[in-house]
Amino acid sequence: LAPDDDDGPENPLVAFVHPRSGDRPGPVLKSRPQELTGEDQAALVTSGLLRRSAELHDALIRALASSGRPQAALPLYAHLLRAGLLPTPHTLPSLLKSLALSPAVPGARRLALAVHAHAVRLGLTGFLLVNNALIRVHAGLLGRLPDAHLLLRASAAVDASTFNTLITAHARAGRVADARSLFDEMPERNVVSWSAMVNGYVQAGDVREALGVFSQMQAQGVRPDDTVLVGVLAACAQLGALEQGKWVHGYLKANNIRITVFLGTALVDMYAKCGEVQLGMEVFEGMKDKNVLAWTTMIKGLAMHGRGADSLTLFSQMESSGVKPDDIAFIGALCACTHTGLVDKGRELFNSMVSNYGIKPKIEHYGCMVDLLARNGLLSEARDMVEKMPMKPDALIWGALMAGCRFHKNVELAEYAIKHWIELEPDKSGAYVLLGNIYSASGRHASAREIRDLMREKGVEKTPGCSNVEIKGVIHQFIVGDLSHPRIKDILTKWYEIDSRIRLEEGYVPDKKEVLLDIEEEEMEGALSRHSEKLAIAFALISTNDNIPIRIVKNLRVCQDCHHVTKLISKVYGREIVVRDRTRFHFGTWSQYRAWAVDHKKNLFHDTSVMHESRR
């Protein structure tokens, strides 16, 4: 920090606070410090009054901390000390806030520690606002969660803000269990506390717990704010909890809550991921304000539902409306090209990123292009793109290439890709399972068994399939092969009925090509029948009326057999069935089956076609 020898107009501090302050004398004090204008701030510095008043330093530091230039408050602390003044309990919270908002300023972390030392030396740590600010800067700027925790335990007084800071910091660090312990310990909670916990669980991927906390919040009569509701909608989107998502939408309408761009975007995302993209479009069209994220969410939603042409049309409308697409918007557009097989359009969009918008393609964009090319049989071009990428390909890039190999039965290229993929993820099952499926589909069953043996040797476990179905607002979870559901006898009885009917009425024969197990033929059929989505569909059939759509959300790709079975069940039982896997939606209705691809030949459902979504 530069020394400040006087308060005259030539003082470097004057130029730092207000470069065009001139020689205007005398500060203009407002009733609230944050109302100080740039000229007011400069006048305080040039008037000579600042040197004699710690309170005026407080006012100026507080004003700058709440301005667009919080770093401008930092030299004022040196000015305060050099003037022989001492900081007050009001000085340090604003100063520490400025530090927290200025992490890139050289010496910010060192100054934060110095301010903490001053607070201890001057006996200011006993003040609640000072202590909360210290906890906030240790948990955030300094990244010292254990120290922040010690400060909490040593505090003479705490309030909800004290806990909220630590709950949020622990959740962001992935320590959601510690965040929950703090939450449960709180003597009193406010809406920020509930929001921090709901969104903490959402960020950690534990969306069932997020909805559980929200239910607890409702039971205690706490009115949710926008931040809580956005988190709840995100949880509903991940779980496929359409009824709970609709409840949030109804709550907004019933309470005349304005649909902000953030709430609107969250609603669009929820409806799209819960299989009701048209309801999402209605929300989107009713939004008065739409930023690039809102447009992108709708574009991606249409693409997920196989409406690639509509998605690209919306992308063009976004450009025409004056909203400049960002890198994420281009991912959505490229995803639409992938789902509709528009290779030339994909190339055009990829090239226009640089030529029209100056956006440098990221690995996600290369992933979409590799996926697009590989899925459409252009495997040599896809490999060439992978090898010439300006960055090192990651596991998702190799997975996209292998998925194309799987569909086009190119074993040689798959073996080339898996070597690179396994180097990046030696302990994950995705590469092994996909190569085993490629071998099985190509008739190389001995090679497929070798893959299973290799997985056992390396201790690699296949991620178990898990499907959720919402019945009357309650989420029921099924895991492949798990027979612990309280109604499992009824479910299995229903499944045997389903199996008999689709065999008799539609000539169903199980597709065993993707059963990566060294077992007998009859056991293969048994393994297929215990896939989680089949159990979920059977449970839904015995738990709902005939006119209610069945909506399933699965954590893995739906296999070919389950995709085909879903179509047959929909036809035989006259039920609308919507299955969302990690890749896309699979729709079935009694009148028609809307497959993701245009014809059966393109009926490929693999794990990487929306690889960009798993990154964000």
Side-chain angles (χ1 to χ4, degrees):
L1 297 174
D4 310 314
D5 296 328
D6 58 66
D7 290 316
E10 299 303 318
N11 187 324
L13 183 60
V14 177
F16 193 55
V17 174
H18 191 59
R20 297 173 182 165
S21 58
D23 296 319
R24 174 173 169 242
V28 180
L29 296 180
K30 303 288 179 72
S31 59
R32 298 189 335 182
Q34 58 266 35
E35 294 178 356
L36 286 169
T37 66
E39 290 185 351
D40 297 334
Q41 296 162 9
L44 277 173
V45 178
T46 59
S47 66
L49 292 175
L50 188 63
R51 180 185 293 276
R52 300 188 292 274
S53 173
E55 286 72 20
L56 289 179
H57 279 88
D58 290 351
L60 189 50
I61 290 173
R62 196 181 312 172
L64 289 168
S66 301
S67 73
R69 299 178 299 123
Q71 71 279 6
L74 306 185
L76 284 169
Y77 189 59
H79 186 273
L80 169 78
L81 299 176
R82 288 174 183 138
L85 301 172
L86 294 178
T88 73
H90 302 289
T91 310
L92 299 189
S94 296
L95 179 67
L96 289 167
K97 177 183 177 181
S98 296
L99 282 165
L101 294 172
S102 310
V105 171
R109 289 168 177 80
R110 188 172 64 252
L111 179 56
L113 291 172
V115 171
H116 190 171
H118 292 172
V120 173
R121 184 177 179 182
L122 298 171
L124 298 176
T125 55
F127 290 91
L128 179 62
L129 291 178
V130 174
N131 195 59
N132 282 352
L134 288 170
I135 289 174
R136 189 174 296 112
V137 83
H138 275 278
L141 175 67
L142 299 176
R144 297 180 169 188
L145 277 176
D147 289 347
H149 212 274
L150 285 174
L151 285 171
L152 170 69
R153 298 306 172 202
S155 300
V158 296
D159 63 0
S161 178
T162 316
F163 281 90
N164 292 343
T165 296
L166 279 174
I167 290 169
T168 301
H170 279 86
R172 286 177 177 170
R175 297 169 56 177
V176 70
D178 292 333
R180 182 58 186 264
S181 295
L182 288 164
F183 179 80
D184 291 339
E185 180 186 336
M186 292 181 70
E188 291 185 11
R189 305 182 185 105
N190 57 22
V191 69
V192 178
S193 315
W194 292 98
S195 175
M197 202 63 251
V198 167
N199 285 287
Y201 275 124
V202 171
Q203 291 164 15
D206 197 347
V207 290
R208 292 170 67 91
E209 282 294 333
L211 293 179
V213 171
F214 181 62
S215 296
Q216 186 181 352
M217 178 184 181
Q218 291 176 286
Q220 295 189 16
V222 181
R223 183 182 176 89
D225 63 4
D226 288 10
T227 308
V228 174
L229 295 176
V230 167
V232 170
L233 288 168
C236 293
Q238 290 185 43
L239 268 181
L242 178 63
E243 294 308 312
Q244 294 189 53
K246 282 184 172 180
W247 182 92
V248 173
H249 196 182
Y251 176 86
L252 294 172
K253 292 178 178 177
N255 290 275
N256 294 317
I257 297 174
R258 187 175 70 89
I259 305 291
T260 64
V261 67
F262 300 106
L263 276 172
T265 302
L267 281 168
V268 169
D269 186 56
M270 181 275 296
Y271 278 126
K273 289 179 179 175
C274 288
E276 290 285 0
V277 70
Q278 197 55 44
L279 291 178
M281 178 63 82
E282 291 174 10
V283 173
F284 177 78
E285 291 175 343
M287 291 171 62
K288 294 181 179 179
D289 300 316
K290 302 183 184 77
N291 59 13
V292 67
L293 180 59
W295 284 94
T296 301
T297 301
M298 194 68 252
I299 289 167
K300 290 167 64 177
L302 289 167
M304 286 175 66
H305 283 257
R307 293 171 57 176
D310 293 337
S311 179
L312 293 172
T313 298
L314 195 64
F315 183 83
S316 299
Q317 290 176 8
M318 177 179 68
E319 292 180 297
S320 302
S321 71
V323 176
K324 182 180 178 180
D326 60 7
D327 60 319
I328 303 175
F330 273 100
I331 289 173
L334 289 171
C335 177
C337 294
T338 301
H339 291 320
T340 49
L342 299 175
V343 176
D344 291 337
K345 181 63 177 178
R347 291 193 186 106
E348 177 190 326
L349 285 167
F350 187 78
N351 294 329
S352 72
M353 289 176 59
V354 177
S355 60
N356 295 350
Y357 294 100
I359 299 174
K360 185 178 180 180
K362 297 180 180 179
I363 195 167
E364 293 88 352
H365 303 100
Y366 281 98
C368 288
M369 285 302 299
V370 170
D371 194 27
L372 173 61
L373 296 169
R375 263 220 266 175
N376 285 276
L378 302 173
L379 294 173
S380 296
E381 186 178 346
R383 175 176 177 170
D384 189 54
M385 175 167 278
V386 171
E387 293 176 341
K388 293 180 179 178
M389 286 169 55
M391 68 284 291
K392 183 179 179 180
D394 64 5
L396 294 174
I397 296 288
W398 294 112
L401 185 59
M402 276 198 65
C405 295
R406 171 181 171 273
F407 178 53
H408 296 286
K409 297 182 175 59
N410 190 321
V411 177
E412 181 181 354
L413 183 56
E415 291 174 333
Y416 162 79
I418 196 166
K419 292 178 182 178
H420 297 277
W421 190 353
I422 290 178
E423 285 179 6
L424 296 170
E425 294 184 343
D427 301 324
K428 294 188 177 181
S429 63
Y432 301 95
V433 172
L434 194 51
L435 182 61
N437 289 337
I438 292 171
Y439 282 145
S440 295
S442 303
R444 293 177 54 176
H445 301 294
S447 297
R449 284 192 290 271
E450 289 175 6
I451 291 294
R452 168 57 73 182
D453 293 339
L454 181 61
M455 290 176 67
R456 288 174 181 156
E457 180 184 327
K458 293 189 173 184
V460 177
E461 295 290 337
K462 185 178 183 296
T463 303
C466 173
S467 295
N468 294 323
V469 59
E470 185 181 29
I471 306 294
K472 298 178 181 178
V474 177
I475 301 295
H476 296 263
Q477 187 175 80
F478 295 86
I479 299 174
V480 60
D482 180 21
L483 304 179
S484 62
H485 193 279
R487 295 192 64 188
I488 191 62
K489 289 185 178 180
D490 296 333
I491 293 169
L492 291 178
T493 300
K494 187 65 177 181
W495 173 253
Y496 296 143
E497 174 201 305
I498 293 169
D499 186 64
S500 298
R501 286 192 62 179
I502 60 178
R503 287 175 187 265
L504 181 63
E505 298 177 31
E506 298 296 330
Y508 164 66
V509 176
D511 183 350
K512 310 181 193 72
K513 291 194 294 293
E514 294 189 11
V515 181
L516 185 58
L517 293 167
D518 187 12
I519 55 180
E520 298 299 323
E521 193 80 4
E522 289 184 3
E523 291 177 306
M524 283 189 180
E525 293 192 15
L528 284 170
S529 71
R530 292 190 296 272
H531 279 192
S532 61
E533 59 269 53
K534 291 175 179 172
L535 296 176
I537 291 173
F539 175 65
L541 285 173
I542 63 175
S543 305
T544 59
N545 297 326
D546 290 347
N547 60 340
I548 297 177
I550 297 172
R551 304 179 189 279
I552 311 292
V553 176
K554 187 176 181 181
N555 64 329
L556 302 176
R557 176 185 62 84
V558 170
C559 71
Q560 293 277 19
D561 183 74
C562 288
H563 168 84
H564 183 53
V565 165
T566 302
K567 170 184 176 179
L568 298 180
I569 295 173
S570 177
K571 181 179 180 182
V572 168
Y573 284 85
R575 297 292 295 271
E576 180 182 357
I577 303 175
V578 180
V579 180
R580 188 189 94 200
D581 63 13
R582 62 181 294 179
T583 305
R584 66 196 67 201
F585 281 92
H586 307 255
F587 296 91
T589 63
W590 69 272
S591 60
Q592 62 174 359
Y593 184 74
R594 294 179 289 161
W596 193 252
V598 175
D599 54 55
H600 183 69
K601 183 178 179 181
K602 292 184 179 179
N603 206 3
L604 168 67
F605 303 96
H606 57 74
D607 293 343
T608 53
S609 65
V610 286
M611 58 179 65
H612 52 277
E613 292 201 67
S614 64
R615 299 176 187 268
R616 296 186 180 273

